[in-house]
Amino acid sequence: MNKELWKGNELIAEAAIRAGCRAYFGYPITPQNEIPEYMSWRMPEAGGVFVQAESEIAAINMVYGASAMGVRAMTSSSSPGISLKQEGISYLVGAELPAVIVNMMRGGPGLGSIQPSQSDYFQATRSPGHGDGHMIVLAPCRLQEAADLMADAFDLADQYRMPVMILADGMIGQMMEAVTWSERPAKPMPPKDWAATGREGPGKTHFITSLRLGASDNELFNNRLQQRYRLIEREEPRHEAVDCEGADILLCAFGTTARIALSAARKLREEGIKAGLFRPITLWPFPEVALRALASQPSVRAVLTVEMSAGQMVQDVRLALVGSRPTPFFGRTGGMIPEAGQIVEQVHLALKEAQA
Amino acid sequence: MRQIVMVPGRGMKDVPTHYCPGCHHGIVHRLIGEVLDELQALDTAVGICPVGCAVYAGNYIDCDFLEAAHGRAPAVATGVKRTHPDKLVFTYQGDGDLASIGAAEIMHAVMRGEKFTTIFINNAIYGMTGGQMAPTTLEGQKSTTSSQGRDKAMHGLPVRMAELLSTMDGMAYAERVCLADMSNYHKARKAIKKAFMLQMQGVGHTFVEVLSTCPTNWGMSPPDASLWVKNTMSQYYPLGVVKEREK
Ligand SMILES: Cc1ncc(C[n+]2csc(CCOP(=O)(O)OP(=O)(O)O)c2C)c(N)n1
Ligand code: SF4
């Protein structure tokens, strides 16, 4: 199969179209502008709809409209714009509508910086907007994986009737890598008989809504959502483990940071320290069972979490390990990127502390 | 003995509405249902209801519906109509929904010339939340957040949305109507029908502003509320065609 050189943002846009996305709505923001730019000519070519919305709020609500009609729809943005989409994401959850949202994270808070960051982890994985909802959150660390995850994102959204987020950062959006397009057969999907594409006869209408004014009705709905979430937590966690068997220390990192952690792990191996990389691919559901299993090996003396934030995913690591191992943290913030050398230092420190 | 005192209107579901006595929301629903039935569009119409007293419009009018976040109906309708240009798409929004929190969404939908129809219910107040001041509340009109009457110095003057939006090229047809008497009722019906028909010809955005009652929050009897629309509201919000452009 042919290898093609792609830029991250354009690749993600093309992968969405190949996954059957036929409606894109977005608003410009660095560092993801190549996504709407690419979509603006490519989507019409593919027979789909492109609208440059007046705001991120409008864009996510356009997604709501298209999705309610049974169309595979997406939007993309970066941190400040994703904040504006929170209301809309909550409504997508409440109306059980599939959608794909790409967040090419940049440094916050506020207008922050335009450099890569991972500080929207809490916003993405806890509960988008208000209410007890969830998105499935996928975090690619290579462009090949980004292309493959785009296809999975649309399938997961349709399968579970919920929003799915691709959580990456400016680095992934801007880098170039070789990619092959996998010719995978389309997965069978549940029929969208709920779509509001016209009533099926007098009195037989579709009503897409998130309003359940009776509290007990609303609790029943919430219970149904939670059941679905428990199923997803069982079925969908994904991770990659590199050299984790018999490791002295596990580095836990996702996305761009995982790439850097991997080179730190290689340096440590040269020094004779057995460092493994545990990389969550799904951030929600967090692959806690797999992490617990690997961290509980007798050889493992600590699990060091590295993030481009002040420490967000580390909470999930600590919840997964409930004190069974030391769980130190190293992070850079504001758009700064951790260096492999700094991670190596942190590992030395962590091992020394574990010894004591 | 059972006596049938009312039958559901054409294009309406056989369920009682939750509207207060004398509220015009139900009448506008009935007009929409009738017109959709007349145009044989009930099977292909998609309505978008607002956050406001009409949040349950989809339970009453017998066509498919989406419920949008507060003020976002025009963006939702854009997603619907762009992906399904063959559908008859309409939004139904109150004045808090359209003129306040959703001001950006309606402006840009019209700016883009989105080919759906807006039914805009101007009752000069926030109904559902209990009678607060709206951008359309008249000068001097009392509400729960303007207890001494709307003060121009503090809040400016009420906005005429049909006129404002008609300054944009994307607006193909805009008319303001009311339901205060039978002759106006028939005009309202005609306007809604025309807006839907023009939409299907793809001329651009079509917009019907309905001056409507909220007897509950105005503190008026239903007949007085109708009279207030006719004698007071329509002085500030002139009835009739605001804009009409062919293709
Ligand atoms: C984001 C958000 N803000 C506020 C509300 C509360 N709220 C519900 S309805 C409404 C105003 C409704 O007034 P209007 O649009 O004039 O419609 P009416 O009820 O008069 O028909 C408000 C402020 C909400 N649901 N969501
Ligand atoms: S509160 Fe006002 S707008 Fe709402 S149903 Fe009652 S009369 Fe109608």
Side-chain angles (χ1 to χ4, degrees):
Chain A
M1 242 179 282
N2 283 345
K3 274 201 177 279
E4 296 174 9
L5 195 61
W6 279 87
K7 185 174 189 174
N9 282 331
E10 292 182 348
L11 173 83
I12 279 173
E14 177 61 28
I17 286 173
R18 290 182 189 225
C21 175
R22 287 297 175 271
Y24 173 89
F25 308 97
Y27 185 84
I29 185 169
T30 307
Q32 60 82 58
N33 289 321
E34 294 85 355
I35 300 179
E37 284 165 0
Y38 186 89
M39 286 297 197
S40 70
W41 63 267
R42 179 69 173 107
M43 193 52 106
E45 190 182 87
V49 167
F50 166 87
V51 178
Q52 179 167 327
E54 64 271 29
S55 68
E56 290 85 352
I57 297 175
I60 192 77
N61 283 286
M62 290 175 189
V63 167
Y64 181 101
S67 172
M69 301 301 283
V71 176
R72 283 194 159 182
M74 74 171 277
T75 182
S76 64
S77 188
S78 178
S79 310
I82 297 292
S83 290
L84 284 183
K85 292 188 195 291
Q86 294 300 306
E87 173 195 49
I89 298 175
S90 175
Y91 275 71
L92 287 166
V93 170
E96 296 180 274
L97 290 176
V100 173
I101 301 135
V102 176
N103 181 1
M104 289 294 173
M105 289 179 283
R106 56 187 251 182
L111 198 48
S113 65
I114 59 170
Q115 283 79 18
S117 169
Q118 297 179 321
S119 52
D120 302 347
Y121 180 95
F122 282 156
Q123 190 195 48
T125 59
R126 264 42 195 176
S127 191
H130 57 285
D132 264 327
H134 269 300
M135 296 183 285
I136 293 176
V137 183
L138 305 172
C141 96
R142 293 176 288 272
L143 291 199
Q144 181 66 56
E145 186 181 40
D148 298 341
L149 285 180
M150 264 332 263
D152 292 345
F154 282 98
D155 283 353
L156 288 166
D158 280 353
Q159 187 181 338
Y160 294 108
R161 285 182 65 181
M162 63 189 282
V164 175
M165 177 168 275
I166 299 281
L167 193 69
D169 58 67
M171 185 83 103
I172 306 253
Q174 300 300 322
M175 71 164 65
M176 291 186 85
E177 270 180 349
V179 168
T180 53
W181 295 104
S182 58
E183 306 278 329
R184 58 175 212 183
K187 272 195 205 160
M189 284 291 138
K192 294 187 174 180
D193 47 11
W194 44 263
T197 46
R199 67 171 194 182
E200 280 150 31
K204 293 192 190 125
T205 59
H206 308 97
F207 190 9
I208 307 281
T209 180
S210 60
L211 180 68
R212 297 164 190 92
L213 258 191
S216 62
D217 281 353
N218 201 27
E219 186 175 54
L220 283 177
F221 171 73
N222 270 280
N223 291 345
R224 210 151 54 69
L225 267 192
Q226 293 302 322
Q227 272 171 14
R228 195 178 317 164
Y229 294 159
R230 297 299 87 76
L231 174 70
I232 294 169
E233 283 165 350
R234 279 196 308 277
E235 298 294 326
E236 303 298 345
R238 298 188 201 181
H239 72 281
E240 183 187 32
V242 185
D243 295 336
C244 288
E245 301 292 329
D248 303 323
I249 185 160
L250 299 185
L251 299 176
C252 185
F254 71 97
T256 294
T257 313
R259 299 170 71 109
I260 305 163
L262 191 60
S263 50
R266 300 230 160 98
K267 280 188 187 166
L268 288 159
R269 291 254 160 192
E270 284 164 22
E271 292 178 18
I273 296 171
K274 287 192 212 156
L277 171 71
F278 184 87
R279 178 174 73 88
I281 298 170
T282 52
L283 303 180
W284 192 88
F286 189 76
E288 56 176 353
V289 176
L291 176 61
R292 198 149 50 230
L294 288 170
S296 65
Q297 301 175 92
S299 64
V300 174
R301 281 142 64 198
V303 177
L304 173 69
T305 304
V306 187
E307 296 175 69
M308 290 192 284
S309 77
Q312 300 193 11
M313 183 175 70
V314 67
Q315 286 199 357
D316 282 332
V317 172
R318 288 173 182 157
L319 281 170
L321 301 185
V322 283
S324 62
R325 288 289 182 280
T327 49
F329 169 76
F330 176 64
R332 297 295 302 273
T333 61
M336 295 299 290
I337 301 169
E339 290 161 23
Q342 294 174 317
I343 299 175
V344 168
E345 265 172 47
Q346 293 296 318
V347 166
H348 289 156
L349 213 70
L351 288 176
K352 206 186 284 169
E353 270 171 23
Q355 202 96 25
Chain B
M1 199 184 82
R2 259 183 78 214
Q3 199 188 353
I4 295 174
V5 292
M6 198 175 157
V7 291
R10 286 187 289 146
M12 296 293 284
K13 292 181 183 170
D14 190 3
V15 287
T17 70
H18 68 280
Y19 298 115
C20 307
C23 176
H24 286 180
H25 269 306
I27 304 176
V28 182
H29 287 15
R30 198 184 164 104
L31 287 179
I32 293 171
E34 257 177 46
V35 168
L36 288 177
D37 185 50
E38 211 168 293
L39 296 175
Q40 297 189 324
L42 286 163
D43 293 335
T44 54
V46 184
I48 293 99
C49 49
V51 173
C53 281
V55 69
Y56 279 134
N59 286 347
Y60 307 141
I61 302 173
D62 198 8
C63 68
D64 276 5
F65 259 91
L66 276 56
E67 204 283 307
H70 197 17
R72 318 297 179 216
V76 172
T78 299
V80 173
K81 185 73 180 185
R82 291 283 186 125
T83 56
H84 289 74
D86 54 322
K87 303 282 182 214
L88 194 161
V89 181
F90 65 96
T91 57
Y92 186 106
Q93 296 189 264
D95 41 13
D97 200 69
L98 181 140
S100 187
I101 195 167
E105 284 76 15
I106 188 62
M107 289 282 280
H108 286 269
V110 177
M111 218 180 281
R112 290 189 302 265
E114 294 295 344
K115 298 180 181 70
F116 62 85
T117 300
T118 300
I119 308 292
F120 171 44
I121 307 299
N122 178 356
N123 60 11
I125 209 151
Y126 283 60
M128 190 189 221
T129 39
Q132 297 82 7
M133 182 179 60
T136 45
T137 297
L138 294 184
E139 190 178 9
Q141 184 186 339
K142 287 184 180 158
S143 75
T144 59
T145 50
S146 59
S147 54
Q148 303 305 307
R150 181 181 182 137
D151 176 1
K152 178 182 165 186
M154 199 154 24
H155 304 294
L157 288 177
V159 63
R160 296 183 183 95
M161 287 309 289
E163 285 83 349
L164 176 67
L165 297 170
S166 291
T167 61
M168 287 184 280
D169 181 62
M171 182 69 93
Y173 164 67
E175 180 161 355
R176 186 180 288 114
V177 298
C178 78
L179 305 164
D181 53 33
M182 278 322 276
S183 111
N184 277 300
Y185 175 89
H186 289 300
K187 282 185 196 156
R189 193 178 191 286
K190 257 172 72 183
I192 292 172
K193 188 168 172 185
K194 184 166 178 178
F196 286 168
M197 283 168 56
L198 285 171
Q199 174 190 159
M200 294 322 286
Q201 292 165 22
V203 295
H205 194 78
T206 58
F207 187 93
V208 179
E209 175 171 339
V210 185
L211 302 185
S212 189
T213 53
C214 181
T216 303
N217 290 303
W218 292 354
M220 289 182 199
S221 69
D224 285 352
S226 268
L227 278 177
W228 195 74
V229 168
K230 194 168 163 177
N231 299 333
T232 308
M233 260 184 104
S234 66
Q235 295 299 308
Y236 188 81
Y237 298 111
L239 299 171
V241 174
V242 180
K243 181 169 184 185
E244 185 165 2
R245 92 168 146 63
E246 299 298 338
K247 205 98 198 172

